[in-house]
Amino acid sequence: MIGVRSLLRPPHLIQALLAVPKRHSNGARRIRFTASAGSAGVASDSESAHKRNVAELEIACPVCLQPLSSSGVTSLSPTLAAGSTFHCTTCQKQYKSNNGIFDLTISAPDYEDIVPFGVSFFQNPLIAFAYDRGYRDLFQILNFPGPDEEFKMAQEMLVPAHGQFIMDLSCGSGLFTKRFLASEEYNLVIGADYSEAMLEQCLGFLENETRKYMMNVVLMRADAGRLPFLTSSLAAVHAGAAIHCWPQPLTAVAEIARVLRPGGVFVASTYILPAPPFPLKSFYGLAGQIIAQAGLPFRLWSEEDLRALVLSCGFVNWTSTRRGIYVLFSATKPS
């Protein structure tokens, strides 16, 4: 691991991150994360600092999709957000930050929902601990090229989003989140996952390996099927080796389309299987349905199925790169 780095940041960036949010008519303040538009939100000199454009991101209540509010000045940076509490002025629900990780999921303390195995598996602290310490290396059996090469390939597809906001959805232990941060190509990187255990591992890796960029990252617990952002909030969404684990991929991809800005980019990797011979096609489909209903963390689908799923949610410009059964694809939201 890389040693701990300095936390010193340019004064203008600190001021931008701590900018006082706008006040609602009821006295509450709308939560906004502000960052300078430019490489990783950093102005290179005083002239660019004076001329910079300020980009704003508003998180939303996952129940009613209205902006969240707070009674005080709030930062979304993990280094400053510990203990923050937010509320929705519409449905009155509250959401808290735990050690800098925001929980923006719909949850009820006295109600236990049935969690699919594909979801609960990654909530296990042991799996979260092992994910970036050997577990992910097993993906090479499925022709995955390795994190560094995967990141390089994804970056080529994400060029239109450089200098803007990107969400690393189902970020796990931060395998790509930390790479997006260190690239300094994005104004803000949002690491989102449903697993608290994964997010805790992610926070630890970020603090150890990309500490000097911590003012440019937000970590949140979020449901891929109900993303806590206003419509047209993000420039890009990345999901590495994740879509096959989502209980309802169609719903999740539709949500991604909702939160992306016009022209926004969706980039994801997964694995696909060859189309079966005609006599086995019906059996193949039945097996896929059984696996999906069981909530297992994998899917039986072809590239044709995957492409149809993405395009059915309104995306265009499908492109893909294959390596055996590994596939990395991108699609854009119409402008």
Side-chain angles (χ1 to χ4, degrees), residues 9-84:
R9 305 293 287 159
H12 65 269
L13 177 59
I14 301 298
Q15 293 172 4
L17 290 164
L18 296 178
V20 179
K22 295 182 179 180
R23 186 176 296 274
H24 285 201
S25 59
N26 61 2
R29 295 178 179 180
R30 177 175 297 181
I31 295 175
R32 282 186 176 173
F33 183 96
T34 61
S36 304
S39 179
V42 179
S44 58
D45 50 41
S46 58
E47 181 179 357
S48 61
H50 284 296
K51 295 180 179 180
R52 70 183 182 272
N53 296 318
V54 177
E56 297 183 344
L57 171 70
E58 294 181 312
I59 56 177
C61 170
V63 175
C64 56
L65 300 181
Q66 296 300 309
L68 293 177
S69 300
S70 173
S71 57
V73 177
T74 305
S75 169
L76 299 184
S77 167
T79 58
L80 301 173
S84 298

Side-chain angles (χ1 to χ4, degrees), residues 132-183:
D132 207 15
R133 298 179 176 90
Y135 179 91
R136 190 55 162 73
D137 294 336
L138 298 175
F139 283 39
Q140 294 181 28
I141 298 173
L142 301 176
N143 303 111
F144 278 64
D148 289 334
E149 182 63 21
E150 288 179 56
F151 173 71
K152 181 180 178 181
M153 294 165 64
Q155 278 285 76
E156 294 176 358
M157 295 177 169
L158 289 164
V159 169
H162 286 182
Q164 302 182 68
F165 296 135
I166 183 174
M167 175 169 60
D168 189 19
L169 183 58
S170 294
C171 66
S173 56
L175 197 68
F176 295 103
T177 307
K178 61 187 179 185
R179 287 172 168 82
F180 286 131
L181 271 176
S183 74

